[in-house]
Structures are given as C-alpha cells and as structure tokens.
Amino acid sequence: MILDFVSGALGPQRNHFGEQARREEEKERQRRQEERARRERKEKEERQHRQWEEQEYRRRQWEEHERQRRQWEEQDRQRRQKEEQDREHRQREQRSSESGHRRSKRTDPPVPIDIARAEYAQRLSALRASLENPNPNRLHTFADIPWPTRILKPTVDNVTPDRVQEFFVALKKVSSQTMMEELKDARILFHPSRFMAWGVYTKLYWDVEEVEVVKLKVEEVSKKLNDLMDGQRRQAVRLVL
C-alpha cells in the first residue's frame, strides 16, 4: 500500500522528467541537424568558390592565349606588310633607275669632268653654308644636293648608279689618287646615317615629299659608292698579287 502511494506520488514527476529529457533530445537533434546543415552549406560554398576560381583561371588562360595569338597575328601582318613595302620600294628604285638611265642618255649628256667637279664642289659648299645659316624662307630641292654626277641639272631621273660610276671613272682617267680621295669623301658624305646626322633633313626647310625622294636617292647613291670602293679594293689586291 505504501509502495502504491509512493509510486502514485512519483508518477507525475517521472513524466515531467521524461518530457524534459525528450525535449532536450529533440533540441540536441535539431542542433545536430542545424550544425550538419551549416557544414553542408559551408562545403557547398567552398566547392562553388573553388569552381569559380578554376573557371576564372581557365578564363584568364584563354584571354592570355587570345592576346598572344592576336599579338602574333599582328606581328606577322606587320612583317608581311613591311616585306611588301620593301619589295615595292626596290621595284620603284629599279624602275626609277632604269627610266632615269634611259632618259639621261637622251636628254642629259655628261659635261667634262673638270666642269662636273667644279659644280659638285660649288653645291657642296652651298649646302654647308645653308646648314650653318638655315633660311626659313627658302625651300631646298633635290638639285641642291651635291650629287656626284656629270649632270649640270640633277633630277631624280638622271641621278642614277650608272651616272655616279661615270663620274668616278672620268676622275680616274685624270688621277687615280684624286678619284680615291673623292670616292672616300663621297662615301662619308652620302652614308645615310651620317647624311641624316649632318642635319640636312632637320636644319634645312623642305617639302615633305621632296625629303622622301632625297632619302631614297641618298641610299641608292651610297650603295653604288660602296660597290665602287669594294671594286677598287679588289683591283688593288689583284695588282699586289
């Protein structure tokens, strides 16, 4: 009877403790679920971030590859364009030389070498004076350059490699030593870099198109002067042997 009383008295308390324990278990279960959900969200976010980083890395690689490809294509295009321009330039020079040679034979007979030397020296002296005291009111022309030819009125058509050779061949008939001295001085004068450093294009006043014509002709004359000097050296070696 006493046991029944105690059991009846403790029953509600046991039920209370049991209910509390279930609530605690439910809270713990919810806490674990929430923790697992947070872990899963974090792992998902980390995977998404890694995927984004990989995509960004591949995108940057592709962009770099495309940039290099475009750069190579542009360099190749510029190279082909320069080769084409050089080829056209050589063709124009050749046509100009051939045309000038034909015209010079018909319309520009060579003057005696003493007159040609005097004209050459006069133009050279005048050019040096112009460089020392440039005149902004005067536009220089192709004929102001002291071209080493036997032509009194030099033009882009009659100043040709053959005309340059003709000048020094005539000088050699007068004196081999004089010819070599004049040839050495002319090579220095018409060396393209030295000619530019001399200030002919920068100190004097030119028409823009005239400057380009002079530059091309200076290169042509310089090449011929180098060929003539090489020929004289080879000839000197043969004489020594």
Side-chain angles (χ1 to χ4, degrees):
M1 183 175 182
I2 295 175
L3 290 175
D4 292 339
F5 175 78
V6 172
S7 177
L10 294 178
Q13 188 175 2
R14 284 200 303 269
N15 292 336
H16 172 73
F17 287 144
E19 183 65 25
Q20 185 176 2
R22 285 193 296 274
R23 286 198 297 270
E24 291 295 329
E25 289 178 356
E26 181 65 22
K27 289 181 180 179
E28 179 65 19
R29 185 182 64 80
Q30 290 179 352
R31 186 188 65 79
R32 288 196 298 270
Q33 287 179 345
E34 291 175 355
E35 181 67 23
R36 184 168 59 252
R38 283 195 296 270
R39 271 199 317 271
E40 290 176 351
R41 284 197 301 271
K42 183 178 180 181
E43 291 174 355
K44 182 179 180 181
E45 290 174 355
E46 290 177 349
R47 285 196 304 271
Q48 289 176 343
H49 183 69
R50 285 195 300 270
Q51 291 174 354
W52 178 83
E53 287 183 335
E54 291 175 357
Q55 291 173 356
E56 281 295 300
Y57 176 73
R58 288 194 295 269
R59 183 182 63 80
R60 289 194 296 268
Q61 277 192 324
W62 180 83
E63 289 179 349
E64 178 65 17
H65 173 74
E66 286 298 301
R67 186 188 65 80
Q68 291 181 355
R69 182 183 61 80
R70 288 192 297 269
Q71 182 179 359
W72 294 334
E73 289 178 351
E74 178 63 19
Q75 290 175 349
D76 186 62
R77 185 189 66 78
Q78 292 178 355
R79 178 185 58 79
R80 291 196 304 271
Q81 184 179 9
K82 186 176 185 305
E83 290 176 351
E84 182 65 23
Q85 290 175 347
D86 291 342
R87 183 164 55 253
E88 292 177 355
H89 172 66
R90 289 192 299 269
Q91 291 174 352
R92 284 197 303 270
E93 282 187 332
Q94 184 177 358
R95 289 195 298 268
S96 174
S97 177
E98 293 174 353
S99 174
H101 182 60
R102 289 193 299 269
R103 293 180 185 177
S104 63
K105 283 185 175 180
R106 295 194 301 269
T107 61
D108 302 299
V111 299
I113 189 59
D114 56 337
I115 297 177
R117 286 187 68 193
E119 186 71 19
Y120 176 76
Q122 181 180 351
R123 284 199 175 96
L124 181 57
S125 177
L127 186 62
R128 285 173 173 163
S130 296
L131 288 169
E132 291 176 359
N133 297 292
N135 183 1
N137 297 321
R138 183 195 172 199
L139 283 179
H140 284 71
T141 65
F142 184 88
D144 292 324
I145 303 299
W147 304 107
T149 68
R150 294 170 62 186
I151 304 298
L152 291 181
K153 296 180 179 180
T155 67
V156 67
D157 290 328
N158 61 29
V159 177
T160 65
D162 288 341
R163 289 294 199 177
V164 173
Q165 180 173 342
E166 180 185 63
F167 179 84
F168 289 100
V169 168
L171 268 181
K172 189 174 184 180
K173 293 179 180 178
V174 176
S175 169
S176 295
Q177 182 178 355
T178 300
M179 186 273 294
M180 286 300 297
E181 291 174 354
E182 293 280 4
L183 181 57
K184 289 178 182 178
D185 291 342
R187 285 183 70 229
I188 294 173
L189 172 63
F190 283 96
H191 187 283
S193 298
R194 292 176 180 173
F195 198 83
M196 181 178 295
W198 201 20
V200 176
Y201 306 130
T202 55
K203 293 182 179 180
L204 303 182
Y205 295 87
W206 297 85
D207 182 86
V208 176
E209 295 181 356
E210 193 83 358
V211 170
E212 295 304 317
V213 171
V214 171
K215 285 181 179 180
L216 292 176
K217 190 59 66 174
V218 166
E219 293 177 0
E220 183 180 338
V221 170
S222 176
K223 183 177 184 301
K224 184 60 180 180
L225 293 173
N226 289 332
D227 293 342
L228 290 174
M229 180 61 75
D230 292 341
Q232 291 300 314
R233 288 170 177 167
R234 287 194 297 269
Q235 184 177 358
V237 170
R238 286 197 298 270
L239 290 175
V240 171
L241 295 178

